């Protein structure tokens, strides 16, 4: 029998899956107004998702994860839609983290490689397949890797970045952003700057991921909500202060999405005569980003496995290895992500491709969260465990729905700093992406219906 996941490891499982130094350059792009956007996104999205996820985890300590949560309210078919959205979002999102890891490795190899598509492609593919084989070792190994890498590879570099930002200001160095009220509050041209919403929402995705491991958590009805509370505090502190640390030193037009963090560290450390630390920080960030990616591989695959157990996928995918891992789903994931990575070779700009994938994956995930909030509205509060007060519960669901719809709409706008020939063409490409990613869902429904008919006959 597998041992239970310790409380600290549970917190790190949530934090490492969400807290990413990778997202800081894209939020720093919006200057001091990022404070407003983080506040707005937290109230409308982060807090509601945290509360609803904690309540769903308390509802049933035996069946966790988005598939089981949604099917309680809307049945198996919509449950499959929800878990597919979570899974396919991960497939679309993964190339962005792989690009970031590959861009960061150039500071250990050759910084000029950051713009070399072939290097980024080969490095991304190698990283993902290594992660896939590590996950074949099972949840306990994955949790240990996640906890260690999240602590020394995510929280430590983010802490150093924040300290360097504070030292930069205290040393009297000039800041490239202003913190006046005019700059803190976005201009009236909200849609033109609200791409920050997509970026920040993307940095908050995954709060519910650990719910799929509810059977592996000791006393989940108590520990899961508490772990979420600690995670939210850590997330907001590191993400807001980390983004500001980049914004104060790198001009908006010079921020690079792929390797913007190391770009900032290099600037900081050059100013403070500490350039010998650049390779060490690059190594720590690679370690943190790689380790934090572990949960994004295993949890969605486990959710898809739950759908397979209900007959929505061929029995071929039900096979597990001796560590209890659905290894055939992991291999399928690796093939799909490899295809998305290879597509990068045919795009004009790495920044544009990075943003397109992030906007598409965030939009897909927002559709899943819409189902989550609707499920919470339909179901009554649980009889035991964590319960959200009634008024706050309804308000949280409505706020979450508004945030999700707003994020999806804004995602059809190309971000500043990206290269697109035509905004309408870009929007049509995103719409096409949505259609193609959702196309398999009716096929899964049809497969289950035919399989049920065969079994009846």
């Amino acid at each position: 029998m597998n041992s239970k996941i310790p409380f600290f490891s549970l917190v790190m499982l949530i934090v490492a899956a969400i807290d990413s130094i990778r997202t800081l350059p894209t939020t720093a792009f919006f200057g001091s107004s990022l404070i407003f956007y983080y506040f707005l996104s937290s109230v409308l999205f982060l807090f509601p998702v945290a509360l609803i996820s904690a309540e769903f985890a308390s509802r049933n300590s035996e069946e966790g994860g988005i598939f089981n949560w949604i099917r309680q309210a809307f049945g198996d078919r919509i449950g499959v839609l929800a878990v597919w959205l979570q899974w396919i979002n991960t497939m679309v999102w993964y190339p962005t983290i792989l690009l970031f890891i590959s861009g960061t490795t150039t500071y250990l190899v050759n910084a000029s490689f950051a713009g070399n598509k072939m290097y980024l492609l080969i490095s991304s593919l190698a990283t993902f397949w290594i992660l896939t084989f590590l996950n074949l070792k099972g949840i306990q190994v994955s949790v240990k890797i996640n906890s260690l890498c999240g602590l020394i590879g995510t929280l430590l570099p983010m802490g150093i970045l924040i300290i360097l930002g504070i030292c930069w200001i205290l040393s009297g160095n000039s800041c490239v952003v202003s913190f006046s009220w005019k700059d803190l509050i976005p201009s009236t041209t909200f849609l033109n700057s609200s791409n920050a919403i997509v970026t920040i929402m993307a940095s908050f995705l995954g709060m519910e991921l650990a719910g799929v491991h509810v059977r592996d958590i000791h006393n989940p009805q108590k520990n899961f909500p508490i772990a979420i509370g600690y995670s939210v505090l850590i997330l907001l502190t590191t993400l807001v202060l980390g983004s500001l640390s980049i914004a104060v030193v790198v001009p908006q037009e010079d921020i690079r999405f792929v390797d913007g963090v190391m770009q900032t560290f290099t600037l900081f450390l050059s100013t403070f005569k500490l350039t010998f630390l650049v390779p060490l920080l690059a190594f720590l960030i690679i370690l943190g980003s790689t380790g934090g990616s572990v949960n994004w591989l295993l949890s969605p695959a486990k959710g898809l496995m739950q759908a397979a157990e209900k007959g929505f996928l061929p029995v071929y995918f039900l096979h597990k290895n001796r560590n209890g891992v659905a290894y055939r789903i992991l291999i399928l994931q690796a093939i799909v992500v490899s295809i998305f990575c290879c597509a990068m070779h045919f795009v004009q700009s790495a920044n544009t491709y990075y943003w397109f994938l992030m906007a598409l994956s965030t939009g897909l995930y927002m559709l899943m969260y819409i189902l989550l909030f609707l499920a919470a509205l339909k179901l009554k509060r649980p009889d035991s465990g964590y319960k959200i007060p009634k008024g706050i519960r309804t308000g949280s669901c409505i706020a979450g729905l508004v945030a999700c719809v707003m994020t999806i709409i804004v995602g059809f706008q190309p971000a500043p700093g990206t290269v697109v020939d035509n905004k309408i063409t870009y929007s049509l490409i995103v719409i096409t992406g949505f259609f193609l990613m959702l196309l398999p869902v009716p096929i899964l429904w049809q497969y289950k219906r035919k399989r049920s008919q065969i079994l009846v006959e």
Side-chain angles (χ1 to χ4, degrees), residues 399-421:
L401 288 170
V402 170
C404 291
V405 173
M406 181 172 60
T407 303
I408 292 172
I409 293 173
V410 173
F412 291 105
Q413 298 285 327
T418 57
V419 180
V420 295
D421 296 328

Side-chain angles (χ1 to χ4, degrees), residues 308-385:
E309 290 171 347
K310 294 294 182 180
F312 286 94
L313 272 75
V315 293
Y316 174 84
F317 293 107
L318 286 173
H319 291 273
K320 297 180 181 180
N321 63 12
R322 62 183 180 180
N323 298 311
V325 177
Y327 66 97
R328 289 176 176 173
I329 292 180
L330 286 183
I331 298 301
L332 173 64
Q333 288 182 171
I335 294 172
V336 174
V337 171
S338 297
I339 293 172
F340 278 111
C341 288
C342 290
M344 178 188 65
H345 191 68
F346 302 99
V347 299
Q348 180 180 357
S349 164
N351 258 16
T352 303
Y353 188 59
Y354 184 98
W355 174 260
F356 165 74
L357 290 177
M358 188 170 66
L360 178 59
S361 66
T362 303
L364 291 167
Y365 219 156
M366 287 300 153
L367 290 176
M368 187 214 74
Y369 281 119
I370 287 175
L371 295 176
L372 180 65
F373 289 124
L374 290 176
L377 285 173
K378 182 176 180 180
L379 296 172
K380 296 179 180 179
R381 293 192 302 165
D383 296 328
S384 61

Side-chain angles (χ1 to χ4, degrees), residues 89-100:
N89 148 77
T90 307
M91 301 305 99
V92 176
W93 166 85
Y94 236 106
T96 66
I97 184 66
L98 294 173
L99 276 174
F100 173 77

